[in-house]
Amino acid sequence: MKVTNHSDVPVYTISGSNTARPLPEWLARKRKRSLKQDPEYANRIELLQDFEFEEASQCVRVSEDGDWVMSTGTYKPQIHTHYLPHLSLSWTRHTNTVNETFILLSSDYSKSLHLQTDRFLEFQTPGGLHYSTRIPRYGRDLKYDRRSTEALVPAVGVNQDGMGEVFRLNLELGRFMKGYEIDVGGDDFTSTGGGALQGGINTGSVNVGAIAEESHNLLGFGTSLGTVEFWDPRSRSRVGILGPPPDTFMGERVGISALEFDRSGLTLASGTSNGLVYLYDLRSPVPLLKKDQGFGLPIQNLIFLQPSTATAQQISEPKILSADKRIIKIWDPQDGKPWTHVEPAVDMHHVEWCKDSGMLLTANEGKQQHSFFIPQLGPAPKWCAFLDNVVEEMAEDPDDPNAFGGKSAGEVYDNYKFLTLKELEQLNMSHLIGTTSLLRPYMHGYFVAQKLYEEARLINQPELWQEQRAKSIQERINKERESRIRGSKKVQVKVNRKLAEKMLEREEKNERRRARRVLERGGDEDAVQAPSKAEAPKATGNRLLSDPRFSKLFQDEDFEVDETSREFTSINPSTNVKKPQGLTAVEEEALDERRGSSDEDSDSGSDKEEQRPAKRTQPSKEQDRDTGRISSSSYKKSGHRPMPQMVVSSSNKKQGQAKAKSFGSMASNLKEKRRSEPRGGGLGAVGEKEMTFAPVQKQQKGKRFEEGGGDADKDGRNRKRMDRRSASGNTFRKM
């Protein structure tokens, strides 16, 4: 949703090709993350679900009750019907040929009459195609006379008498009646409508019709000759002819392409094929006003924008909408002064106005159908009343260049005070009623501009000057506070985020301290003498972040500060660095059971402090995977016994063991270690690592191995033979 016309009367494009770039659905889903940063795509509003056709739309109509919208389009030829309270597509239906135009016969969508391009008239109902009939020649327009229940079809060509025809289909009787015969130039080859009987390029035709439904019910038909004939449906006779426009050039073929009656029935608007609009009074053949559309294209639609209620008519000024395929213009019928205009990016076929509102719907070339909202023309329809709030939010943003054409915030919808007639008399403002636009009537009172109300109140109540002065001082203080105190924003840096946040936080504290000092001094003189926001120096933290000399400090990973390093802790001793946590009691118990008797033998000669293992840091997942440790107690609780594992021990780097101070003490420790080891064990040199493998055997009766015993066991086997592996006595099989 955005403003497409930056003038005094803004026009908001709700849906259509101007709101967002046309993207296929699969691409929109694929680029969903990247499109979030696109303002045009993020601010789009889907007013109606599937308010579009595959190629183009031909005609669109709104029902009288205001709850349904029916539109036709191609390709393939189809009909779409939307239920407006749900903002959704109700049903869609395909037709045999392309639709020329259609009308709604009932107050809702249940009965509609469609004029097809293959000369068929189709009656559509909710159940489908109800009935179809064919007319003798191609139709150009379709009207419905409610008083006589007749469908009128202006057609191209002439009959056997050389007269153009408007076919009459009586829907009550269900048959064709004698048509209205309109002069379109004859059937000879020398006149303007030459060759009309057999058809040709310059065939004469009745292009358009109009009915004055709300007044005298007079019928008007515009021809290809530029004339307008008026017929009385009661007597079925011609009552008048309006000649072609008086200022046409010699040899110029100008036809009537659009026709519309005013609600009073006394004013007629006619549009020509060369882009001119004429306003006539039926009591005079001379046009009252001539309006040039500007592009020289045939006028397609003429609409008198008049509210349906009498009270709204008295307040609002009448407007006329004229549209060709390039532009929609809304202008004043009194002097032809332009009020606003809409120029879509694609060609238009038909324009429909939602009555008593500022909403315009179009049928146009392109996939999406357009919808425009003009707040000053009228409020949003009841089925999309949220648009009023959206427009107010856009108008309240003074930084938005598209908010009411760049005007100040809230000039149209905000900053108004509602006053009754009694309150206006107390403020001596009753003489302004009806003389100025500053007082807008609403219900039992008037809306008055807030500034005007405050000035009138000060004039009538001079004692309120102190309150007004205090209010102005507070406004200056708030303005100064807004310029000085800035909200905390997310720091956009790659590395050293804590350092950048600390610098910005320090600068914000200084700004708060300065603002507090301004408030303590009173804020009046200091706020006036303070430098403006543009002249104020930038914050130190922001300067460092944007300074190219220090940019790599917050962007390059080589400059990242490691807070866990020894150098950082020595410079910042107060920094709390998270230390690795030790093993839990359950993990220590499982670790002691896995170590086995080898640890007890190796540590038997040491002190109690040396036998107690020091707390080790909690192993990571990678270390557990490499060494095969089980760090959780769930494995033990399930009944499994720990598997044997390779234990790496070091004689000079074991945790909890006191370091030797001399070579003699190292040698004595080595001797004690040799005595405690069983025979056959390998001896390790000082400083080397020693690998031991200690499998755990099941205790069986009659088979026990005495550690540190003689050369033979109870069975009499030799100790040296036990060291030799064999297939029958494999140690792994006995585990």
Side-chain angles (χ1 to χ4, degrees):
M1 177 176 179
K2 64 179 182 179
V3 178
T4 57
N5 183 11
H6 301 276
S7 63
D8 295 338
V9 182
V11 178
Y12 291 88
T13 302
I14 308 299
S15 62
S17 59
N18 286 342
T19 55
R21 292 188 300 272
L23 295 176
E25 295 182 0
W26 61 270
L27 183 59
R29 290 194 299 268
K30 186 177 181 181
R31 297 178 53 194
K32 188 174 182 181
R33 293 183 179 179
S34 61
L35 288 174
K36 288 182 179 180
Q37 307 298 331
D38 189 355
E40 292 186 1
Y41 188 82
N43 296 331
R44 74 192 190 281
I45 295 178
E46 187 176 3
L47 185 66
L48 292 174
Q49 174 198 1
D50 297 331
F51 192 55
E52 59 186 21
F53 286 87
E54 297 179 2
E55 183 177 340
S57 51
Q58 187 67 28
C59 185
V60 58
R61 304 281 185 185
V62 180
S63 62
E64 291 184 2
D65 57 7
D67 291 339
W68 301 90
V69 167
M70 181 179 288
S71 53
T72 58
T74 189
Y75 181 77
K76 301 177 180 179
Q78 50 190 310
I79 304 172
H80 288 180
T81 302
H82 290 79
Y83 185 49
L84 297 180
H86 292 174
L87 300 177
S88 61
L89 180 65
S90 179
W91 54 266
T92 179
R93 183 179 302 156
H94 290 269
T95 58
N96 294 329
T97 56
V98 178
N99 181 267
E100 182 75 23
T101 184
F102 71 95
I103 55 176
L104 297 175
L105 302 178
S106 60
S107 59
D108 56 358
Y109 78 99
S110 59
K111 298 178 182 178
S112 60
L113 177 59
H114 298 256
L115 174 62
Q116 305 297 103
T117 56
D118 59 349
R119 296 190 293 158
F120 271 93
L121 288 175
E122 294 184 354
F123 294 86
Q124 299 283 346
T125 61
L129 177 61
H130 178 71
Y131 180 75
S132 65
T133 183
R134 198 173 189 183
I135 56 179
R137 286 182 295 275
Y138 293 98
R140 289 292 181 90
D141 196 8
L142 186 61
K143 296 296 178 181
Y144 178 60
D145 186 4
R146 298 181 183 274
R147 298 186 182 182
S148 59
T149 66
E150 290 182 352
L152 307 177
V153 187
V156 62
V158 297
N159 55 11
Q160 66 275 8
D161 298 330
M163 302 293 290
E165 277 190 299
V166 176
F167 300 110
R168 296 168 53 209
L169 177 60
N170 193 296
L171 303 184
E172 185 177 3
L173 301 177
R175 65 185 181 90
F176 282 96
M177 312 296 290
K178 184 180 179 181
Y180 298 118
E181 295 184 349
I182 312 297
D183 184 12
V184 295
D187 59 349
D188 57 328
F189 289 89
T190 57
S191 59
T192 307
L197 181 61
Q198 302 298 328
I201 297 176
N202 297 324
T203 302
S205 62
V206 184
N207 294 331
V208 68
I211 304 175
E213 293 182 356
E214 302 181 16
S215 56
H216 45 67
N217 202 47
L218 199 64
L219 306 180
F221 301 103
T223 66
S224 58
L225 301 178
T227 60
V228 179
E229 294 192 7
F230 299 97
W231 287 70
D232 188 355
R234 297 170 296 179
S235 62
R236 297 177 184 86
S237 60
R238 184 188 297 113
V239 295
I241 297 178
L242 184 64
D247 52 353
T248 55
F249 295 98
M250 293 298 295
E252 182 182 5
R253 184 180 178 86
V254 177
I256 303 298
S257 58
L259 207 61
E260 185 70 18
F261 279 102
D262 188 14
R263 178 172 295 169
S264 63
L266 298 177
T267 305
L268 176 71
S270 65
T272 62
S273 59
N274 59 351
L276 298 178
V277 180
Y278 294 92
L279 287 184
Y280 291 94
D281 192 330
L282 295 185
R283 296 163 291 188
S284 174
V286 180
L288 301 176
L289 181 66
K290 172 186 172 183
K291 178 70 176 178
D292 189 0
Q293 192 75 359
F295 289 93
L297 301 173
I299 303 298
Q300 296 178 346
N301 292 95
L302 288 173
I303 304 175
F304 285 89
L305 304 177
Q306 296 176 342
S308 58
T309 59
T311 56
Q313 280 185 359
Q314 295 176 1
I315 298 174
S316 62
E317 298 179 358
K319 300 288 187 303
I320 294 180
L321 182 146
S322 59
D324 55 14
K325 70 176 184 179
R326 291 286 300 276
I327 192 171
I328 301 173
K329 286 188 176 182
I330 302 177
W331 40 280
D332 190 354
Q334 302 295 332
D335 52 2
K337 183 179 180 181
W339 190 63
T340 188
H341 69 277
V342 184
E343 191 171 0
V346 294
D347 294 343
M348 294 178 294
H349 297 155
H350 185 260
V351 179
E352 181 72 5
W353 175 53
C354 298
K355 294 183 179 180
D356 300 330
S357 69
M359 180 69 66
L360 300 176
L361 305 177
T362 65
N364 49 266
E365 291 288 338
K367 184 177 181 181
Q368 293 182 337
Q369 291 184 248
H370 286 63
S371 57
F372 303 99
F373 179 53
I374 306 174
Q376 297 187 22
L377 180 62
K382 60 181 180 180
W383 49 272
C384 59
F386 60 89
L387 289 180
D388 288 330
N389 298 331
V390 175
V391 171
E392 288 183 9
E393 291 176 1
M394 294 181 65
E396 288 176 359
D397 187 6
D399 299 329
D400 186 7
N402 295 329
F404 284 97
K407 291 187 177 182
S408 59
E411 190 175 81
V412 177
Y413 289 95
D414 202 357
N415 295 333
Y416 276 85
K417 177 73 173 178
F418 179 78
L419 299 176
T420 61
L421 183 59
K422 184 177 180 180
E423 292 175 346
L424 285 175
E425 293 176 353
Q426 293 177 357
L427 297 176
N428 297 327
M429 297 175 60
S430 58
H431 64 281
L432 298 177
I433 297 176
T435 60
T436 178
S437 60
L438 298 176
L439 272 65
R440 301 189 178 185
Y442 181 76
M443 295 177 66
H444 62 285
Y446 297 87
F447 274 110
V448 183
Q450 186 70 27
K451 293 183 179 180
L452 178 61
Y453 166 72
E454 293 177 357
E455 292 179 1
R457 192 164 62 102
L458 286 176
I459 293 174
N460 289 274
Q461 300 177 0
E463 65 275 3
L464 295 177
W465 69 272
Q466 294 181 354
E467 179 183 351
Q468 184 65 24
R469 181 179 182 276
K471 185 178 180 180
S472 62
I473 291 175
Q474 188 64 30
E475 290 178 355
R476 291 180 179 179
I477 293 174
N478 294 338
K479 185 177 180 180
E480 179 67 20
R481 183 182 299 172
E482 291 176 0
S483 63
R484 289 178 175 271
I485 303 177
R486 299 172 178 85
S488 58
K489 298 182 179 179
K490 188 176 180 181
V491 183
Q492 300 293 337
V493 296
K494 293 183 179 179
V495 296
N496 298 331
R497 183 180 299 275
K498 291 185 178 180
L499 178 60
E501 291 177 353
K502 187 185 297 183
M503 294 166 55
L504 293 179
E505 184 179 0
R506 187 182 305 168
E507 187 61 29
E508 287 179 0
K509 288 182 180 179
N510 296 335
E511 293 291 339
R512 294 191 189 97
R513 194 180 298 111
R514 296 193 193 104
R516 196 181 301 112
R517 193 181 302 116
V518 171
L519 296 177
E520 291 175 357
R521 294 179 182 177
D524 192 2
E525 298 178 358
D526 194 5
V528 176
Q529 297 176 1
S532 61
K533 186 175 182 180
E535 298 175 357
K538 292 184 178 180
T540 305
N542 293 333
R543 288 204 310 269
L544 291 178
L545 293 178
S546 60
D547 196 336
R549 298 177 297 174
F550 304 101
S551 59
K552 290 187 177 181
L553 181 62
F554 303 99
Q555 301 296 332
D556 196 351
E557 296 181 357
D558 296 338
F559 293 92
E560 185 176 3
V561 178
D562 186 10
E563 296 186 0
T564 61
S565 63
R566 178 174 160 282
E567 292 79 4
F568 184 83
T569 54
S570 62
I571 299 175
N572 303 280
S574 61
T575 305
N576 294 327
V577 181
K578 292 184 179 180
K579 298 181 179 180
Q581 300 178 356
L583 296 175
T584 61
V586 179
E587 292 174 347
E588 290 182 357
E589 183 179 355
L591 183 62
D592 292 340
E593 291 180 359
R594 276 188 260 112
R595 292 175 68 91
S597 61
S598 61
D599 293 341
E600 296 178 359
D601 296 341
S602 61
D603 297 341
S604 60
S606 60
D607 296 336
K608 293 182 179 181
E609 296 180 358
E610 296 176 355
Q611 291 177 1
R612 185 179 303 168
K615 286 188 177 181
R616 301 179 61 185
T617 58
Q618 185 174 357
S620 62
K621 294 182 180 180
E622 290 78 3
Q623 294 174 352
D624 292 344
R625 195 187 308 115
D626 297 340
T627 58
R629 291 198 188 100
I630 303 176
S631 59
S632 62
S633 60
S634 60
Y635 184 78
K636 182 179 178 182
K637 291 180 180 179
S638 61
H640 296 79
R641 300 190 61 183
M643 296 292 295
Q645 49 188 305
M646 304 293 293
V647 180
V648 180
S649 62
S650 177
S651 60
N652 61 337
K653 293 185 179 180
K654 182 178 291 187
Q655 296 183 359
Q657 185 176 359
K659 294 183 179 180
K661 296 182 180 180
S662 61
F663 182 78
S665 59
M666 295 169 62
S668 60
N669 293 336
L670 184 59
K671 291 178 180 181
E672 293 177 359
K673 186 175 182 181
R674 288 178 180 177
R675 292 172 191 157
S676 61
E677 289 180 352
R679 290 187 179 182
L683 298 178
V686 178
E688 292 184 351
K689 293 185 179 180
E690 185 177 15
M691 305 291 292
T692 60
F693 182 74
V696 179
Q697 261 184 325
K698 294 182 179 179
Q699 298 295 334
Q700 299 180 3
K701 293 182 179 181
K703 292 184 179 182
R704 293 182 180 178
F705 181 76
E706 299 179 0
E707 296 181 4
D711 296 336
D713 57 359
K714 189 175 181 180
D715 296 334
R717 296 182 185 180
N718 192 1
R719 175 71 179 177
K720 294 182 181 180
R721 294 182 61 185
M722 292 295 295
D723 295 337
R724 186 181 307 166
R725 293 182 60 182
S726 63
S728 60
N730 197 336
T731 305
F732 283 94
R733 294 187 178 183
K734 297 178 181 180
M735 290 176 58

